[in-house]
Amino acid sequence: MDSKTKKQIIKLIHREVIPAIGCTEPIAVALASAKAAETLGQEPTSIEVYLSANILKNAMGVGIPGTGMVGLPIAIALGALIGKSAYGLEVLKDLTPEAVERGKGLIERKAISIHLKEKVDKLYIEVICRAGESSATAVISHAHTRFVYVEKDGFALMDTRQESKESDESHEDDLRLSFSMVYEFAMDTPLDEIRFILDTARLNEAAAKASARGNYGHTVSKTVAGEFGRKYLGDSPYTHMLAMTSAACDARMDGAMIPVMSNSGSGNQGIAATLPVLSFAEDIHCSEEQLIRALMLSHLMVIYIKQSLGRLSALCGCVVAATGASCAITYLMGGSKTQISYAIKNMIGNITGMICDGAKPSCAMKVSSGVSTAMLSALMAMENKVVTPMEGIIDEDVDQSIVNLTSIGSRGMEETDRLVLDIMTHKTC
């Protein structure tokens, strides 16, 4: 691989694998709220928010870090009151109990209104802050931290909406990855150039350990590691993977003020691409080089799949992240490039179709299902057992199999996405 391509891949990884506090969608809304309030230059008296269906779906049922509250209104209020847009997805890291009370006051005054905006990008956030005769607008589109429009009192301070749309459609900004490119980069790049990927292990393992000190969400991790879990599932590298991965997800989805390393705009994807790999690597006592290469393989595979799937879709992100983890686990088991491709096909042949019905505490269960399938797919691959092109959506070519997966997730499940949102917004609860 030439040096130019390697530099492009490293730049891509640094952009897509970043720290985040809280579920990405409501935090991205808080980020837009912070930007609009900063542009306004004073505390807003009213805030209007317009969101795409996918953002609305993913932000409705998840805890907001440090608040003990669920959902968008408090995220929007805090973004406007104490958020700093320069912090990116850590926009609320300066949160205090006093700020939470101020945010509650803004909500009680009915100063915040939230609306669905149709016929926009699947990832679209528009926030309008008003005070007196003045107003300011901030728009995020396509990526969780990507501002495309900022305006104050009718004067555009930034407007790259058309430029961004053209760039998104042509993908001119990004190197288009392939399985072989991902594998070659992870296996052959000098360690000192990719050692930074260990940051994902440090941050996400810390999140899992912090979760163990509390009782978050559905406590999936403590169930796996508890009395019944040990009795019926045993105590093995498999259960260790489940417990460590679900622990970080339990805490994150319940609104713990714990940072994680995200991947492609999702903290859960970052967790599921990292912790099964780290847990298995620790259990088999692999070398640091093996761990670095395994983590890189996992994270870069997730980035590759997300390139064609898109940031948000009806397909649960754990399918994608667990596929990356399965590749890494197969590698750590001593698997060849061919066997790693088998693991990918086994994953696609198994859990394609798992729906995303928003970010919420039960995501830890879905992440655990993904990790379980990752291990099964790796075990089968190591015995040279693979879902064949005669079965379902699997193709002889592994890259085409990935295209088939992402086509279903991005286009084929669009009606599913609409139905899921309709169900979520019309429940009697």
Side-chain angles (χ1 to χ4, degrees):
M1 182 176 291
D2 62 79
S3 60
K4 180 182 177 182
T5 301
K6 283 199 295 185
K7 288 179 181 177
Q8 285 179 292
I9 293 175
I10 290 172
K11 180 181 177 182
L12 183 60
I13 296 164
H14 280 304
R15 193 184 74 201
E16 299 292 357
V17 181
I18 59 174
I21 297 177
C23 178
T24 319
E25 276 69 50
I27 295 303
V29 178
L31 176 61
S33 182
K35 187 71 169 181
E38 288 168 357
T39 304
L40 184 66
Q42 57 185 305
E43 185 172 312
T45 55
S46 69
I47 307 173
E48 288 180 54
V49 180
Y50 297 86
L51 305 173
S52 60
N54 288 80
I55 291 288
L56 191 60
K57 177 184 73 175
N58 276 354
M60 288 173 61
V62 69
I64 305 304
T67 67
M69 300 173 70
V70 170
L72 280 166
I74 191 64
I76 294 164
L78 292 173
L81 293 173
I82 57 94
K84 291 183 174 62
S85 63
Y87 291 167
L89 293 180
E90 296 181 285
V91 61
L92 300 183
K93 70 179 182 179
D94 290 340
L95 184 64
T96 63
E98 293 75 20
V100 174
E101 292 306 310
R102 289 173 60 203
K104 289 178 180 178
L106 205 57
I107 296 168
E108 289 167 1
R109 294 195 298 274
K110 301 188 184 301
I112 298 170
S113 61
I114 302 169
H115 313 274
L116 173 65
K117 187 149 186 171
E118 299 179 338
K119 298 180 180 179
V120 291
D121 190 89
K122 288 185 177 182
L123 198 167
Y124 181 89
I125 302 163
E126 178 180 344
V127 178
I128 305 169
C129 288
R130 290 189 172 90
E133 298 297 315
S134 190
S135 68
T137 301
V139 177
I140 288 174
S141 184
H142 184 69
H144 292 85
T145 59
R146 186 177 185 181
F147 287 98
V148 298
Y149 184 72
V150 179
E151 168 262 302
K152 182 176 182 181
D153 296 331
F155 179 74
L157 305 175
M158 171 191 184
D159 189 356
T160 61
R161 289 172 295 184
Q162 186 59 35
E163 176 186 324
S164 298
K165 181 179 178 182
E166 291 170 356
S167 174
D168 295 343
E169 290 173 351
S170 64
H171 302 290
E172 290 175 354
D173 294 336
D174 288 342
L175 174 71
R176 303 306 291 172
L177 298 171
S178 67
F179 169 64
S180 289
M181 193 181 298
V182 169
Y183 179 82
E184 181 183 347
F185 179 86
M187 295 300 108
D188 297 341
T189 304
L191 286 184
D192 285 345
E193 295 181 31
I194 58 173
R195 192 178 300 277
F196 65 86
I197 202 66
L198 289 175
D199 291 342
T200 65
R202 284 189 281 268
L203 195 59
N204 290 342
E205 184 179 29
K209 289 180 177 178
S211 177
R213 295 191 288 270
N215 288 295
Y216 296 102
H218 295 292
T219 61
V220 176
S221 175
K222 292 189 175 182
T223 301
V224 171
E227 178 185 354
F228 287 103
R230 291 194 304 273
K231 181 177 180 180
Y232 295 113
L233 294 176
D235 183 13
S236 69
Y238 166 68
T239 56
H240 299 165
M241 291 161 57
L242 290 180
M244 181 184 284
T245 308
S246 59
C249 189
D250 277 331
R252 181 174 179 269
M253 291 291 95
D254 201 31
M257 199 71 174
I258 300 171
V260 301
M261 194 71 82
S262 66
N263 185 308
S264 302
S266 166
N268 283 350
Q269 284 172 185
I271 289 167
T274 304
L275 293 183
V277 182
L278 175 63
S279 177
F280 187 71
E282 290 177 342
D283 272 328
I284 66 171
H285 306 291
C286 76
S287 67
E288 183 185 61
E289 176 175 355
Q290 288 173 310
L291 175 59
I292 291 170
R293 298 200 183 282
L295 288 170
M296 183 55 70
L297 178 62
S298 181
H299 277 278
L300 192 54
M301 180 58 63
V302 175
I303 294 169
Y304 165 40
I305 297 174
K306 293 292 286 187
Q307 279 187 328
S308 54
L309 179 62
R311 292 279 176 172
L312 299 174
S313 73
L315 183 70
C316 178
C318 80
V319 175
V320 178
T323 298
S326 189
C327 292
I329 292 164
T330 306
Y331 160 72
L332 290 173
M333 288 178 175
S336 64
K337 179 182 178 182
T338 297
Q339 288 169 319
I340 292 170
S341 75
Y342 289 171
I344 296 170
K345 293 179 181 180
N346 290 340
M347 290 293 296
I348 295 172
N350 190 332
I351 57 172
T352 295
M354 183 185 290
I355 66 166
C356 171
D357 55 342
K360 60 212 174 301
S362 61
C363 285
M365 298 169 67
K366 292 189 177 186
V367 165
S368 296
S369 294
V371 173
S372 179
T373 306
M375 180 59 118
L376 174 61
S377 297
L379 291 172
M380 290 182 63
M382 291 303 296
E383 294 191 6
N384 295 311
K385 295 172 182 175
V386 60
V387 180
T388 70
M390 300 298 292
E391 304 170 72
I393 64 170
I394 300 303
D395 192 272
E396 183 67 39
D397 179 68
V398 67
D399 291 295
Q400 185 59 49
S401 296
I402 290 171
V403 169
N404 296 344
L405 163 72
T406 58
S407 295
I408 289 170
S410 61
R411 300 199 310 272
M413 295 175 72
E414 285 185 348
E415 183 58 36
T416 300
D417 224 8
R418 286 190 285 269
L419 180 57
V420 166
L421 181 65
D422 184 65
I423 291 170
M424 290 175 65
T425 55
H426 288 88
K427 290 188 294 184
T428 55
C429 62

